Amino acid sequence: MRDLYDLTYDEVAAELGRMGEPAFRAGQVYQWLGRGAGDWPAMTNLPASLRERLSRTFRLDGLRLSERRVSAIDGTIKCAFLLQDGNLVESVLMRYRHGYSICLSSQAGCRMGCAFCASARAGFGRSLTSGEMLQQVVRFAAMEGVPVHHAVVMGIGEPLDNYTELVRFLRCLNDPRGFGMGLRHVSVSTCGLVDKMIDFTDEGLPVTLSVSLHAPNDGIRRRLMPIAARWTMDELLEACRRHTRVTGRRVTFEYALFDGVNDRPEHAEELAERIRGMLAHVNLIPANELESGGLKQSSGNAVRRFQDILAARGIQVTVRRELGSDIMAACGQLRRRLEEAKDD
Ligand code: SAH
């Protein structure tokens, strides 16, 4: 069985052509995928016989809802989805002033091992297919019945560690014959796989590149992120500068603040110095604390002080709003709990 959501428009058209179907069928089928159809009867404008034949080769239920939680504080909705092979992923639907945004996972688990991140701790299952990423957007939007105009690949996993499927997913998500999301409304977040960042820049996809920096220098970065031992910050920042040179696009730096580790005034000064002159924006994240692990969240004062120092040096800086704090909406927390519950 293949997942129909894994197919591009051209592949759907080729399949239907082989089945002897007229050319317009591909548009109909792809439109249903854009609408997040979860079963064959949903595709009401297709002849029952065609649906029956398609269902012998393809599945539409590659993603099944396992758990759904709604935040009482801000209405954020988090879902855990079960994949065909029993792996779990998480996706989050957030409401912003400008509309709805979905945060999706690119892998079941993660291999990057960042010290502060829950995703790494529940272990690595596998990378997701493009269709599994696509369904987190289109099925979730269909389930909730809301218009979703934004997507961020900031859930579980390292998207650039799943490069080919990620790029395929972005093209499918963007295809106007399907869901048709504008890629300017999509952000991809990476911990800094420099070689893959260079390739990604050259794909020419107008998405926003977010880079998880979390440190002003290599010493601190290596304490927090194993990937920092593979590439230096100089190499990483050069890949960001290249991204801006080639695409003209601004890079976002994610910076989670941990008490005493990377949130001191001198760290802010050093960071400002390192990224001076770049077309960049720093997004400060009041860190989520893991139950175990020595890293503590910075105080509100430390966050403000850090922000003020960057702003005074002409760096564009914002503090990320916390959403869904009551439903473990952050970074692999729910999957980890569900995986742990499995082992009990
Ligand atoms: N692997 C990608 C995307 C997934 S993580 C990346 O590293 O960017 C999405 C963001 O959440 C990253 O910036 C990550 O560093 C951050 N994050 C993970 N755990 C966190 C925590 N406990 N507190 C604050 N931010 C965290």
Side-chain angles (χ1 to χ4, degrees), residues 116-117 153-155 157-159 189-191 212 214 254 256 258 285 287-288 290 331:
F116 47 82
C117 183
V153 191
M154 291 191 186
E158 167 49 48
S189 182
T190 179
C191 64
S212 298
H214 303 327
E254 307 289 338
F258 300 101
I285 311 170
N288 299 295
L290 299 187
C331 313

Side-chain angles (χ1 to χ4, degrees), residues 3-276:
D3 192 326
L4 193 60
Y5 280 95
D6 281 332
L7 274 59
T8 63
Y9 176 88
D10 288 345
E11 289 166 349
V12 168
E15 282 295 333
L16 289 163
R18 264 195 293 281
M19 293 168 74
E21 290 294 320
F24 68 88
R25 290 277 181 236
Q28 290 180 321
V29 170
Y30 214 68
Q31 204 170 35
W32 282 116
L33 298 185
R35 291 182 193 155
D39 56 29
W40 299 100
M43 300 189 174
T44 45
N45 57 358
L46 299 188
S49 59
L50 173 59
R51 286 186 255 153
E52 208 275 315
R53 274 186 299 152
L54 282 169
S55 72
R56 279 184 229 149
T57 318
F58 296 103
R59 74 165 67 94
L60 289 170
D61 64 347
L63 210 68
R64 274 174 294 168
L65 184 64
S66 159
E67 187 166 328
R68 176 178 179 278
R69 297 176 168 214
V70 185
S71 164
I73 302 171
D74 52 45
T76 297
I77 301 174
K78 175 159 197 161
C79 286
F81 290 108
L82 196 60
L83 309 180
Q84 275 301 315
D85 60 0
N87 272 297
L88 278 170
V89 293
E90 295 173 26
S91 330
V92 182
L93 179 81
M94 295 162 290
R95 188 189 190 135
Y96 288 105
R97 274 180 302 268
H98 54 254
Y100 288 90
S101 176
I102 283 179
C103 175
L104 65 122
S105 297
S106 54
Q107 298 178 312
C110 188
R111 294 198 266 228
M112 299 297 122
C114 297
F116 47 82
C117 183
S119 297
R121 302 208 180 172
F124 183 74
R126 65 172 170 85
S127 287
L128 303 192
T129 67
S130 88
E132 286 166 337
M133 289 183 260
L134 183 64
Q135 285 170 86
Q136 290 175 66
V137 179
V138 300
R139 300 263 316 118
F140 204 160
M143 269 166 44
E144 302 297 335
V146 296
V148 172
H149 298 299
H150 295 257
V152 295
V153 191
M154 291 191 186
I156 298 169
E158 167 49 48
L160 296 187
D161 186 35
N162 185 16
Y163 188 89
T164 309
E165 292 298 308
L166 173 78
V167 169
R168 186 182 174 85
F169 153 67
L170 293 170
R171 298 220 159 95
C172 291
L173 179 70
N174 179 236
D175 194 319
R177 295 163 293 194
F179 193 77
M181 183 181 287
L183 291 182
R184 285 180 173 74
H185 294 173
V186 179
S187 292
V188 172
S189 182
T190 179
C191 64
L193 306 187
V194 170
D195 54 346
K196 302 284 174 50
M197 285 169 66
I198 291 169
D199 292 344
F200 193 64
T201 294
D202 294 336
E203 298 284 347
L205 300 166
V207 302
T208 298
L209 187 62
S210 273
V211 175
S212 298
L213 204 54
H214 303 327
N217 59 50
D218 286 310
I220 296 177
R221 200 159 189 269
R222 283 183 195 139
R223 274 180 63 191
L224 297 171
M225 308 173 75
I227 194 69
R230 174 72 182 80
W231 282 287
T232 63
M233 249 178 85
D234 277 340
E235 291 167 322
L236 177 58
L237 294 178
E238 182 44 35
C240 295
R241 288 192 193 91
R242 179 180 180 277
H243 185 75
T244 298
R245 273 200 307 276
V246 172
T247 67
R249 304 186 65 77
R250 185 176 82 158
V251 171
T252 298
F253 291 119
E254 307 289 338
Y255 196 109
L257 291 157
F258 300 101
D259 183 39
V261 175
N262 64 355
D263 68 343
R264 313 281 317 151
E266 60 268 29
H267 299 142
E269 310 267 2
E270 191 178 1
L271 176 65
E273 189 55 36
R274 292 294 286 266
I275 65 174
R276 198 159 46 112

